Amino acid sequence: MSSFVFALNSTMPVFLVMVLGYFLRRVGMLTRPFCDVGDRFVFQVALPVLLFCDIMETDLYQDFDWTFVIFCALGTTVMFFGVWGAARLFLKDKSMVGAFAQASARSSAAILGIAFVQNMYGDSGMMPLMIVAAVPLFNIYSVIILTFSAADSAGNQGAIKRACINVCKNPVIIGILLGLIASLLRVQLPVILDKAVSNVGSLATPLALLIVGANFEGKKALVKLKPTAWATAIKLLILPAVFLPAAIALGFRDSALVAVLIMTGSPTTVSCYIMAKNMGNDAVLTSSIVVSATLLSSVTLTFWIFLLQMLGYI
């Protein structure tokens, strides 16, 4: 019961902020121009700054477990490109491929992960290493998939060339690279600048949640119910079922195993919507997957934790 309550406390506040955004849009407080500007601000400023801060503050030298880091990096790679390949193969509507693949594979690891592990073990355990190994790749692979999926829809060689350029110019990629450099060099920002940068980064998640809720279109989402259901099942059930046994076989236990669960089975992160919309992919499908995965994850995460505890692995 405590696991269910914790999972509920982790996911429902996120869902309720989206509901608030939906309500505020319907009463006219959040207008379409506000949401459009908010989308661009989160994508071009707040999200890159948030990623820069998170990565810069991670100590890449302390307690570095190469086996765990390599597993998380390889697992993330297989996860993203496996889902992308399956989506290209099985989805009839090719305009959905990028949004489907990103939302099926990308987790709320940085948002939920450390809080989840601290609640269970009293410290962050292996979560920082998972975040270092996986979260930058989450964002890099998302940019690649969304960029090339949009280029595929355009269907010409020039679009593919522009896609390669856009990957290098993407604000999210730039934020990640600057964060990695700052972390490796152990950069310490002056207190005034550090607080200012942190304040900008802290806007990313709540503003993105409000915008996802405000732009959620129920009638259009119902038309895409089948791909939404498949993506949610992949995100919350199929990926953990594939990667948790592999992690157990390699000897990962306790906080390391919970970190793998968060990497593979936590709900789709809200930044998926911001990136899909700003990069010419299916925003309606993405918002539908974000909402459904967030709502159902309290049940599925509780199930996985209960199963791992029952089997004596955590």
Side-chain angles (χ1 to χ4, degrees), residues 2 5 32 84 115 147 153 171 181 192-193 199 216 218 223 247 267 272 278 297 306:
S2 61
V5 171
R32 172 65 67 182
W84 189 21
T147 302
S153 298
I181 292 169
I192 294 175
L193 182 58
N199 285 339
F216 182 70
V223 175
C272 282
N278 281 272
S297 62
F306 172 77

Side-chain angles (χ1 to χ4, degrees), residues 235-242 244-245 261 265 299-310 314:
K235 181 85 246 10
L236 301 181
L237 296 172
I238 295 175
L239 291 178
V242 170
L244 284 174
L261 170 61
V299 176
T300 57
L301 283 174
T302 303
F303 163 76
W304 288 116
I305 290 169
F306 172 77
L307 181 62
L308 293 173
Q309 285 179 331
M310 185 180 68
I314 62 174

Side-chain angles (χ1 to χ4, degrees), residues 38-40 42-44 47 204 207-209 211-212 270-279 286:
D39 275 334
R40 291 198 300 274
V42 172
F43 178 67
Q44 295 178 10
L47 182 58
L207 183 55
L209 289 172
I211 291 171
V212 169
V270 66
S271 55
C272 282
Y273 170 80
I274 299 297
M275 290 180 64
K277 185 175 181 182
N278 281 272
M279 297 177 68
T286 304

Side-chain angles (χ1 to χ4, degrees), residues 109-128:
I111 296 173
L112 291 180
I114 290 178
F116 216 94
V117 175
Q118 283 179 337
N119 184 75
M120 296 180 68
Y121 295 102
D123 57 50
S124 57
M126 300 291 277
M127 275 303 308

